[in-house]
Amino acid sequence: MLPPDFTPCFSTALPAGEPLCFAIIGDQHLVTPETGLPALAALVPLGSPEVDVLIGHLGTTPCRLIAWPDGTAAPEGLAIEGLRALYGRLGDDAFWISARARQLLSWLRDHRHCGRCGTATTVAEHEAAAICPACAHRMYPRVSPAMMVLIRRGRELLLARSPHFKPGMYSALAGFVEPGETLEACVHRETMEEVGVTITNLRWFASQSWPFPHSLMLAFHADYVAGDIVPQEGEIEDAGWFDIDALPELPGPASIARRLLDDALAELRG
Ligand SMILES: [Zn+2]
């Protein structure tokens, strides 16, 4: 999560002083050989950036998102890496601010033109808003809520794998909230659609921003009621009940899925 002493903001007016630089080429993050954030001076050889905005303060230190288009060569002495690969290496604070930077960059790139009338947008000076100068339509960063649920039956957990998971990995169920739907209704509907079982006793666990590309994961525990598992064609490649002492490969520690699983395991193993 974002560090407790991080205050988000958005401004095209850049403050003086050395910032923390969240530098991105295409969708790859620029880091030092020691997996640290680059100094502002190290970015000079890249030339004029595509995006350079203030995205918050860590304590009193300004944090800047600075980006260049895909294909720009990384300057000597810096490496480019995917965000997922940086988890656990960049440090938690820098990782989650990088995740914020990444989501804001996606939003800026996806709203260069007005969705209503097609006119090129401008970015508000002190608010994360892309504004159409022709029709005044305002476009804000998108956050897409998605539920996650880990279903228990005694000592067993219902785990599933989607076709895009790496081979052998299973996780809790997940799915996007539909317009007009409550989160709780989404959990029941997605569970029925994905595996065909009914559940009860939803228990809130935690939420996590998931910047691939702009999800907010909302995680629950739940108890099984009835039904045989029927994996949803095209969505769920395989699903089953796994005893807590015979689990398949689970998601990595960056994901809320893993924290949800670890929470259930700690409780069930007492
Ligand atoms: Zn417009």
Side-chain angles (χ1 to χ4, degrees):
M1 65 177 88
L2 284 168
D5 57 341
F6 178 82
T7 310
C9 71
F10 184 92
S11 178
T12 57
L14 300 172
E18 180 68 23
L20 293 176
C21 297
F22 298 85
I24 303 176
I25 292 178
D27 62 0
Q28 301 284 105
H29 296 244
L30 275 165
V31 291
T32 66
E34 301 78 31
T35 324
L37 298 173
L40 192 56
L43 302 171
V44 170
L46 282 156
S48 182
E50 168 197 356
V51 168
D52 189 353
V53 291
L54 178 72
I55 61 167
H57 292 86
L58 182 62
T60 55
T61 308
C63 299
R64 271 162 69 176
L65 157 63
I66 313 175
W68 291 265
D70 201 14
T72 307
E76 209 172 322
L78 293 178
I80 54 171
E81 299 222 35
L83 184 59
R84 282 173 201 264
L86 288 171
Y87 185 80
R89 296 167 54 220
L90 192 56
D92 263 8
D93 289 1
F95 178 85
W96 289 109
I97 301 170
S98 297
R100 168 172 168 78
R102 174 67 164 279
Q103 291 183 64
L104 289 168
L105 180 59
S106 299
W107 159 71
L108 285 165
R109 285 177 172 159
D110 290 350
H111 294 85
R112 287 172 173 152
H113 291 88
C114 175
R116 284 189 183 158
C117 76
T119 304
T121 56
T122 58
V123 177
E125 192 179 347
H126 292 299
E127 184 186 15
I131 301 169
C132 175
C135 76
H137 179 44
R138 296 169 77 87
M139 289 144 275
Y140 300 100
R142 205 167 11 151
V143 176
S144 303
M147 76 83 201
M148 172 167 286
V149 64
L150 180 59
I151 304 164
R152 302 179 197 184
R153 183 177 73 179
R155 283 172 48 89
E156 296 174 312
L157 303 176
L158 198 167
L159 301 176
R161 52 173 286 108
S162 96
H164 70 262
F165 283 8
K166 67 177 177 175
M169 193 186 87
Y170 284 71
S171 188
L173 302 179
F176 285 104
V177 179
E178 286 281 336
E181 185 176 51
T182 66
L183 189 51
E184 293 83 353
C186 172
V187 176
H188 288 281
R189 175 185 56 76
E190 284 283 347
T191 300
M192 180 50 70
E193 286 177 7
E194 291 189 351
V195 292
V197 307
T198 54
I199 55 174
T200 188
N201 196 18
L202 294 190
R203 301 181 298 287
W204 173 248
F205 172 62
S207 64
Q208 183 186 58
S209 169
W210 193 241
F212 307 105
H214 43 68
S215 300
L216 177 63
M217 303 302 302
L218 305 147
F220 293 85
H221 293 290
D223 295 325
Y224 169 79
V225 173
D228 293 327
I229 293 174
V230 181
Q232 182 181 16
E233 208 167 319
E235 292 284 322
I236 302 293
E237 190 176 273
D238 186 38
W241 293 105
F242 292 86
D243 186 273
I244 58 169
D245 290 326
L247 294 170
E249 188 185 343
L250 302 175
S255 65
I256 194 170
R258 182 52 174 270
R259 284 169 49 213
L260 180 66
L261 280 153
D262 287 346
D263 188 65
L265 293 173
E267 202 179 306
L268 289 167
R269 286 173 175 151

